[in-house]
């Protein structure tokens, strides 16, 4: 395979793809705006340790017409690396095209789709297949904590020698159309990057390619799409409903969940280390996919007890002076609702910093975001929105964080717009009291994790424990 150059190599979808290629012996180099800006240096150190050569995003790394230049849809034509590739006549591939090529060529392609839960279900399937000796390859948009270590802190990819290639597939740019899964998972269909009409068409076409589709019947649109397939090609799952896989007697806990899995007239106990009703649904999806791949249901259910979750999915950052700091990827209405429901099942006021993941998404889902926060915020919660994430490029700014906050506050919830993110974080730290939970939410910005860690440090300084007390 020819040398590959990744423009935006540190992106959540680019880094694991570069990792998989490099592990397969391909020469990989890349550039990244975040590298040039000095953001999250540990991530780029990890890429160098894998043998990925890194260059400034100034065109200097694109040196030969024999290179294949890979870029995500977010990379503009004006970026110097792209201009240089165009001048040299390099073959150009999108991230999705390259991933789909590897995926479709695998012996057992397992694709995970849906508006929410893709990364978690992908991680669960990867863990089940790994724990049961299938040695899968997995491509994830988040770090899988089961595979992370001191030597591999950014384990968003797993490279194995087995038949299975498990990946989440993205509907936001329409690239889901490139994938040909043998096993397809559809978690849910809800508003995010596209209209519901567009999403139904994209997800419907995706599951139509599969030999077996594992579909969430608790989701109205998912259930409707399931009925477009013959009974022999669909596996439906539900919590306390109907379907081939049903979770009954669900018992939610602060740090996990337990339930009874009913399948084919048999029942199996399932224990999870990840909390929330949404993770019960995710577990059903993963068990269904693993079973379709040949793993006995009892083995899949047992393996899930060892799944420890993903980074930035209700991740406990730490506790200082009685205040807990949590980092979470939630950014669309469904994800935000699931996160708030899970945390409200436990004691403690929520002090929330939500950074919208772009001006464009606010235009598409602003009304639904407002409705979700108005419905899900408790009376004593405090929500603070800084301005949306912006990492360069051109974008329309017709709807901003101030518009969202104005509508939430008008409905009676406690919400503030503090444009500067550091100032917003400082306000929440200063407002925190023992028993509170500080929640950082947002996507498309790796520095949010660093912000959460920084907030924890400032809590310890601003609210030192009494002498002799333990954290």
């Amino acid at each position: 395979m020819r040398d590959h150059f990744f423009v935006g190599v540190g992106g959540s979808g680019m880094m694991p793809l570069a990792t998989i290629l490099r592990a397969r012996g391909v020469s990989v180099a890349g550039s990244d705006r975040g590298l040039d800006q000095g953001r999250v240096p540990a991530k780029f150190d990890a890429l160098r340790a894998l043998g990925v050569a890194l260059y400034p995003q100034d065109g200097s790394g694109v040196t030969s017409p024999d290179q294949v230049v890979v870029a995500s849809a977010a990379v503009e034509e004006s970026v110097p690396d792209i201009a240089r590739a165009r001048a040299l006549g390099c073959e150009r591939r999108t991230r999705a095209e390259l991933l789909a090529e590897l995926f479709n060529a695998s012996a057992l392609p397992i694709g995970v789709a849906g508006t929410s839960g893709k990364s978690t279900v992908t991680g669960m399937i990867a863990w089940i297949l790994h724990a049961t000796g299938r040695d899968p390859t997995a491509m994830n948009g988040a770090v899988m904590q089961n595979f992370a270590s001191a030597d591999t802190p950014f384990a968003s990819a797993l490279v194995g020698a087995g038949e299975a290639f498990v990946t989440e597939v993205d509907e936001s740019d329409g690239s889901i159309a490139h994938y040909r899964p043998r096993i397809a998972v559809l978690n849910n269909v809800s508003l995010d990057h596209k209209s519901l009409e567009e999403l139904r068409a994209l997800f419907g076409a995706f599951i139509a390619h599969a030999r077996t589709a594992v579909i969430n019947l608790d989701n109205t649109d998912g259930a409707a799409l399931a009925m477009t397939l013959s009974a022999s090609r669909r596996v439906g799952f539900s919590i306390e409903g109907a379907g081939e896989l049903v979770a009954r007697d669900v018992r939610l806990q602060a740090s996990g969940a337990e339930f009874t899995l009913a399948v084919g007239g048999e029942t199996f106990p399932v224990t999870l280390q990840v909390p929330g009703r949404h993770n019960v649904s995710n577990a059903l999806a993963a068990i269904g996919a693993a079973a379709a791949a040949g793993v006995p249901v009892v083995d899949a259910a047992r393996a899930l007890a060892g799944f420890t979750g993903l980074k930035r999915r209700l991740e406990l950052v730490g506790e200082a002076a009685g205040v807990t700091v949590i980092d979470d990827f939630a950014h669309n209405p469904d994800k935000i609702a699931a996160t708030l429901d899970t945390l409200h099942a436990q004691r403690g006021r929520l002090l929330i910093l939500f950074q919208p993941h772009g001006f464009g998404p606010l235009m598409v889902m602003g009304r639904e975001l407002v409705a979700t926060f108005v419905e899900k915020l408790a009376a004593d919660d405090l929500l603070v929105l800084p301005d949306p994430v912006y990492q360069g490029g051109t974008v329309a700014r017709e709807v901003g964080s101030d518009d969202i906050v104005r509508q939430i506050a008008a409905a009676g919830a406690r919400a503030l717009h503090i444009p500067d993110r550091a100032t917003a974080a400082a306000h929440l730290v200063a407002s925190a009291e023992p028993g509170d939970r500080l929640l950082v939410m947002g996507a498309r910005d790796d520095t949010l994790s660093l912000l959460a860690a920084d907030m924890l440090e400032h809590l310890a300084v601003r609210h030192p424990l009494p002498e002799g007390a333990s954290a």
Side-chain angles (χ1 to χ4, degrees):
M1 203 175 219
R2 285 188 289 160
D3 294 357
H4 282 60
F5 188 92
F6 283 68
V7 184
V9 69
S12 62
M14 296 283 272
M15 184 173 180
L17 184 55
T19 300
I20 290 171
L21 278 188
R22 186 72 195 96
R24 292 182 172 184
V26 178
S27 176
V28 178
S31 66
D32 197 278
R33 186 179 288 151
L35 174 68
D36 295 348
Q37 296 171 351
R39 291 188 282 114
V40 198
K43 177 168 62 176
F44 299 106
D45 289 342
L47 281 167
R48 290 189 186 95
L50 293 173
V52 176
L54 298 178
Y55 294 86
Q57 202 167 81
D58 59 5
S60 60
V62 182
T63 59
S64 167
D66 293 330
Q67 286 174 297
V68 178
V69 176
V70 184
S72 69
V75 176
E76 302 90 355
E77 286 293 309
S78 59
V79 169
D81 289 336
I82 299 298
R84 181 64 176 158
R86 190 166 55 246
L88 288 174
C90 297
E91 179 184 349
R92 290 171 56 189
R93 309 293 302 279
T94 66
R95 180 200 65 83
E97 287 170 345
L98 178 57
L99 174 58
E101 179 183 310
L102 298 176
F103 176 81
N104 295 340
S106 67
L108 181 56
I110 304 173
V112 181
T115 312
S116 302
K118 294 188 291 290
S119 297
T120 297
V121 173
T122 299
M124 285 179 166
I125 297 170
W127 174 247
I128 292 171
L129 296 177
H130 172 82
T132 56
R134 269 67 177 182
D135 197 20
T137 293
M139 158 93 186
N140 207 321
V143 173
M144 298 175 282
Q145 299 200 102
N146 284 97
F147 305 113
S149 67
D151 294 331
T152 56
F154 296 92
S156 53
L158 178 68
V159 183
E163 293 187 340
F165 190 121
V166 189
T167 186
E168 57 178 297
V169 297
D170 188 11
E171 79 288 349
S172 65
D173 59 0
S175 62
I176 188 174
H178 296 304
Y179 298 84
R180 298 295 181 267
R182 182 184 299 182
I183 300 168
V185 176
L186 179 56
N187 290 338
N188 41 58
V189 183
S190 62
L191 191 67
D192 194 341
H193 301 278
K194 293 183 177 294
S195 70
L196 284 173
E197 183 178 355
E198 290 176 289
L199 291 174
R200 293 182 193 112
L202 288 169
F203 290 137
F206 174 70
I207 63 174
H209 290 300
R211 182 179 300 175
T212 303
V214 183
I215 303 174
N216 182 2
L217 301 183
D218 293 332
N219 177 260
T220 301
D221 287 300
L225 288 173
M227 297 310 296
T228 65
L229 302 178
S230 64
S232 63
R233 294 177 56 208
R234 67 176 186 255
V235 175
F237 63 88
S238 171
I239 299 176
E240 300 290 358
E244 285 70 34
L245 296 166
V246 179
R248 305 199 185 283
D249 305 319
V250 176
R251 299 170 296 282
L252 300 178
Q253 299 143 4
S255 59
E258 296 178 350
F259 64 92
T260 299
L261 173 63
V263 52
E266 296 183 273
T267 59
F268 305 94
V270 181
T271 300
L272 302 178
Q273 294 188 56
V274 287
R277 186 179 177 88
H278 62 294
N279 275 320
V280 173
S281 183
N282 290 337
L284 293 174
I287 292 170
V295 178
V297 170
V298 63
D299 294 340
R302 186 181 298 120
L304 267 185
F307 177 70
T308 54
L310 307 180
K311 298 287 286 183
R312 300 213 66 233
R313 272 41 173 201
L314 285 171
E315 180 185 359
L316 176 62
V317 180
E319 183 178 324
V323 179
T324 302
V325 179
I326 299 164
D327 187 21
D328 193 70
F329 185 72
H331 60 280
N332 66 33
D334 270 10
K335 290 183 173 77
I336 290 168
T339 292
L340 297 184
D341 282 345
T342 299
L343 293 178
H344 280 141
Q346 307 161 31
R347 291 183 178 180
R349 179 175 65 146
L350 293 180
L351 303 180
I352 305 163
L353 186 147
F354 171 58
Q355 178 179 269
H357 60 297
F359 288 94
L362 286 186
M363 291 180 61
V364 174
M365 68 179 86
R367 182 181 303 174
E368 289 75 15
L369 282 171
V370 169
T372 298
F373 279 120
V374 168
E375 178 186 355
K376 297 297 183 180
L377 288 172
D380 58 349
D381 290 344
L382 173 60
L383 171 67
V384 175
L385 269 69
D387 285 338
V389 60
Y390 175 70
Q391 295 172 352
T394 57
V395 62
R397 305 190 184 198
E398 296 175 27
V399 180
S401 295
D402 54 336
D403 299 296
I404 303 301
V405 164
R406 188 181 310 113
Q407 296 174 66
I408 295 172
R414 298 178 66 210
L416 297 172
H417 172 227
I418 301 179
D420 178 70
R421 193 179 76 175
T423 305
H427 179 82
L428 288 175
V429 168
S431 303
E433 300 174 355
D436 289 344
R437 278 89 51 81
L438 275 177
L439 172 63
V440 174
M441 287 197 303
R444 291 186 182 168
D445 187 350
D446 290 338
T447 66
L448 285 170
S449 293
L450 302 179
L451 178 70
D454 186 63
M455 291 171 77
L456 181 66
E457 290 183 12
H458 279 83
L459 276 168
V461 173
R462 293 190 180 194
H463 303 285
L465 290 171
E467 188 173 347
S470 58

